[in-house]
Amino acid sequence: MVVIHAVSVTPRFPLPSSSARPGFNGISSVSFFLKKHPLSRKIFAGKQSAEFDSLSQAIAASEKVLVPDNFDDAPNSFSEEPQGFDLEIQTMEENEAVRTEDQVSVFDSSEVFNDAKGVKERGVKPRIVPPPGDGKKIHEIDPMLLSYRDHLDYRYGQYRRLREEIDKFEGGLEAFSRGYEKLGFSRSDAGITYREWAPGAKSASLIGDFNNWNSNADIMTQNEFGVWEIFLPNNTDGSPAIPHGSRVKIRMDTPSGIKDSIPAWIKFSVQAPGEIPFNGIYYDPPEEEKYVFKHPQPKRPKSLRIYEAHVGMSSKEPMINTYANFRDDVLPRIKKLGYNAVQIMAIQEHSYYASFGYHVTNFFAPSSRCGTPEELKSLIDKAHELGLLVLMDIVHSHTSKNTLDGLNMFDGTDAHYFHSGPRGYHWMWDSRLFNYGSWEVLRYLLSNARWWLEEYKFDGFRFDGVTSMMYTHHGLSVGFTGNYTEYFGLETDVDAVTYLMLVNDMIHGLYPEAVTVGEDVSGMPTFCIPVPDGGVGFDYRLHMAIADKWIEILKKRDEDWKMGDIIYTLTNRRWSEKCISYAESHDQALVGDKTIAFWLMDKDMYDFMALDRPSTPLVDRGIALHKMIRLITMGLGGEGYLNFMGNEFGHPEWIDFPRGEQRLSDGSVIPGNNFSYDKCRRRFDLGDADYLRYRGLQEFDEAMQHLEEKYGFMTSEHQFISRKDEGDRVIVFERGDLVFVFNFHWTSSYFDYRIGCSKPGKYKIVLDSDDPLFGGFGRLDRKAEYFTYDGSYDGRPCSFMVYAPCRTAVVYALANHD
């Protein structure tokens, strides 16, 4: 979600700064349990289900949460300032000893984690997040970080301290991340237990269809940690007290008045016809109705080729599409195109459809617009059958400010899940911001990530808006230059960075094949370094600067394109930190922006894309450059590639979600579209039509994906740019075993053009953008053979001669490669 107005400059090599000095996030720094507490195992020893098992419930953002009187040695939840660097961090060996001892008591004694006994009986080794490392390897990878060692040691110390206290008081990160088994609704043989953390509420009761919405029927009790609870025994016939599919809410007397809220941990939420707020649904289908996964999750591919998709707008008809239709119609298309992963947007329930899924209201509930949880599981299982990874676009950077169906003011207080005051509000996104220094916020978000991996078998996440999380300024109106003082100073939100370390550690520890991608425009160093080595822990960073650069270039005349500028942007990434490159994503397809195809061809796309009609110079130029832009982005831009659905064939329409007129607080009006779905769809039929020029663009995209599948050039360590000729407008580079030749000149074609290569032999064409199949002019002979000459050329040991037509991209490989 590109709403951060910043210049992305991510240095390939560290940028020195003589004036840099370490800085810290001194605001509400996390310093949980700074004193050693002797009660950790007593908490789990034979507690009844009616009691809440975690001392850490006392650690909350709200000052209204009281620590029990008998916990004289209990620590403060926050320190007013950083604690310096004598953080009293245990050694790895000491930490491991504490973890192991606590976990034994948890698995043996606690009924919170009720699957442990079955694990032990089956002889399966329980999943455990490995202990923290020393966090020092980052300085070997990037020696320039030594100048910021104090900040990085403080950051890693906070992370290790949290790990130690989670191990001590929660039984480990594995147990802590299963909060959904304790909070919200849980079913046992005897009945249903409902728990909710709402320390600000004065009273609470569970209401719904099952008790005729009678607030006096099922009154809840609160423990000393602010957790409300009620147990509903089974009916006399053995049926659950709350039928599956019933509407439920929690009614609370809060400092802001009486309030009905959808439970924070609700697993399904629906909107009744004609109503605006959503209703929480008690979702517990009988066993025969639960979807059973049939196919194993695919192994993580070496190179990641992501097809970004939105289920609701994936129909060619102006409607909200379903999980079932996406499963049957779109997934086979993705597989045929050659992508190996699908990234699904807008899964977490969001009451405002036009938010594109980024204003989440119910974090544990899949969007009901597209179907049921079981239908979503069926979609994911089908993708696995096809060998596709399924990544979820997860939003932990902010949430909807709705108070009726979201988390905002849940217990009537401003600082429940969020920072209070201005720090808890994102003025540009008009949304609330989590307090990542709150123990219960950590439990909620870590459990949320775990839930989607465990229950729905997602294969990983694309974390949205990470730049906004990592800095107190949220990246707004900040031009990141690559100076390290921008990353390691007072404006760094250490609490948020620590959370990102925890969630990546949890995901990769429990699900080694899972993939995490972070949307970061700032270029934060260590972003894609493993957590034990001192990094933030993401597998990939979205290389967001590339799409912005292409828009900047497309606004210029062909004569003003600079080959060096293109190459610099594509290769300007940190060494050893992997990137996902893309020429455009959903951001460029929305109303208010334009896709690359629209920038190139504009209104001519509506009248001159039929093959039985003459083309125009604008269309010819657009089709040629559209292919070249995508291929060079994939070839040089990173170790993974992403495309938004429909853009592979130059979708002619923008995306405009159904929306009404909006009146802003300053009196201005944003016009709506009369709630039309006309532009909220994908016309896949255009890409499939053999009588339209869109077909050629789609065929080229498919050939591009299959070329990468065959040669694996994106993940090759060999990358060498041998020519960037500003006069000829030619770029030549090697990636893996392939030689790429791009001629961006608008009129000049070059005969007997010599290009360098690293290996001698006979070369052949393996991809030609000028092929008639791809809407080209067929100026090259695909059967031609190219023999190398000895002798250095363009810094390469060999060379061969080619014909390089204007506005073409051609890829060569050794003929004996296979």
Side-chain angles (χ1 to χ4, degrees), residues 444-483:
Y444 187 81
L445 295 178
L446 289 169
S447 298
N448 184 243
R450 176 80 180 273
W451 168 254
W452 295 107
L453 295 172
E454 190 76 21
E455 181 71 13
Y456 287 87
K457 310 300 181 189
F458 277 97
D459 301 291
F461 301 107
R462 178 263 200 191
F463 279 81
D464 173 70
V466 175
T467 303
S468 176
M469 298 172 66
M470 294 193 298
Y471 307 96
T472 56
H473 54 59
H474 310 304
L476 298 175
S477 302
V478 174
F480 290 99
T481 65
N483 190 306

Side-chain angles (χ1 to χ4, degrees), residues 232-524:
L232 301 176
N234 290 335
N235 297 323
T236 55
D237 61 358
S239 62
I242 308 177
H244 164 61
S246 299
R247 294 177 297 168
V248 289
K249 286 190 176 182
I250 178 173
R251 175 166 294 175
M252 293 174 285
D253 183 4
T254 77
S256 303
I258 301 297
K259 182 176 185 291
D260 292 350
S261 296
I262 295 177
W265 299 71
I266 200 73
K267 304 305 190 297
F268 197 45
S269 180
V270 302
Q271 185 180 34
E275 292 185 5
I276 295 176
F278 275 61
N279 291 294
I281 299 296
Y282 176 72
Y283 194 84
D284 185 22
E287 290 299 319
E288 63 272 15
E289 294 181 15
K290 293 181 179 178
Y291 187 83
V292 178
F293 287 90
K294 306 176 184 64
H295 305 284
Q297 293 177 248
K299 297 293 184 182
R300 183 200 300 199
K302 187 176 180 181
S303 62
L304 202 59
R305 301 185 300 276
I306 302 172
Y307 195 84
E308 185 185 35
H310 185 288
V311 172
M313 56 171 295
S314 62
S315 172
K316 67 179 183 180
E317 303 299 332
M319 56 177 276
I320 298 179
N321 209 12
T322 65
Y323 296 128
N325 287 346
F326 187 91
R327 175 197 64 205
D328 297 338
D329 301 335
V330 183
L331 286 179
R333 169 183 295 276
I334 297 171
K335 177 65 175 179
K336 181 178 181 299
L337 285 170
Y339 292 87
N340 56 22
V342 54
Q343 177 182 301
I344 307 182
M345 307 174 64
I347 290 296
Q348 295 168 292
E349 188 60 88
H350 47 291
S351 63
Y352 184 44
Y353 191 46
S355 77
F356 226 144
Y358 289 118
H359 279 202
V360 176
T361 45
N362 309 117
F363 281 78
F364 289 81
S367 179
S368 59
R369 294 178 180 86
C370 302
T372 68
E374 309 312 307
E375 289 167 332
L376 174 58
K377 292 175 183 178
S378 175
L379 181 162
I380 295 170
D381 200 26
K382 179 63 177 180
H384 291 163
E385 181 186 7
L386 295 172
L388 298 171
L389 295 188
V390 186
L391 306 180
M392 175 177 159
D393 199 347
I394 197 169
V395 185
H396 283 180
S397 50
H398 65 131
T399 184
S400 169
K401 70 174 186 179
N402 288 12
T403 58
L404 294 180
D405 46 21
L407 294 179
N408 190 22
M409 301 291 290
F410 183 84
D411 68 348
T413 63
D414 183 53
H416 184 198
Y417 284 95
F418 313 108
H419 287 292
S420 61
R423 191 180 177 194
Y425 177 72
H426 198 297
W427 62 267
M428 179 173 283
W429 296 348
D430 193 26
S431 56
R432 294 304 311 270
L433 299 173
F434 287 106
N435 177 5
Y436 302 102
S438 163
W439 191 266
E440 290 308 313
V441 170
L442 292 179
R443 186 197 306 276
Y444 187 81
L445 295 178
L446 289 169
S447 298
N448 184 243
R450 176 80 180 273
W451 168 254
W452 295 107
L453 295 172
E454 190 76 21
E455 181 71 13
Y456 287 87
K457 310 300 181 189
F458 277 97
D459 301 291
F461 301 107
R462 178 263 200 191
F463 279 81
D464 173 70
V466 175
T467 303
S468 176
M469 298 172 66
M470 294 193 298
Y471 307 96
T472 56
H473 54 59
H474 310 304
L476 298 175
S477 302
V478 174
F480 290 99
T481 65
N483 190 306
Y484 279 26
T485 57
E486 297 166 351
Y487 308 117
F488 309 121
L490 292 171
E491 292 176 322
T492 303
D493 190 331
V494 175
D495 290 348
V497 175
T498 303
Y499 164 69
L500 293 171
M501 295 167 72
L502 283 171
V503 74
N504 275 300
D505 211 12
M506 182 272 291
I507 292 170
H508 292 124
L510 301 179
Y511 307 90
E513 293 294 319
V515 177
T516 60
V517 181
E519 185 194 37
D520 171 40
V521 72
S522 75
M524 164 72 80

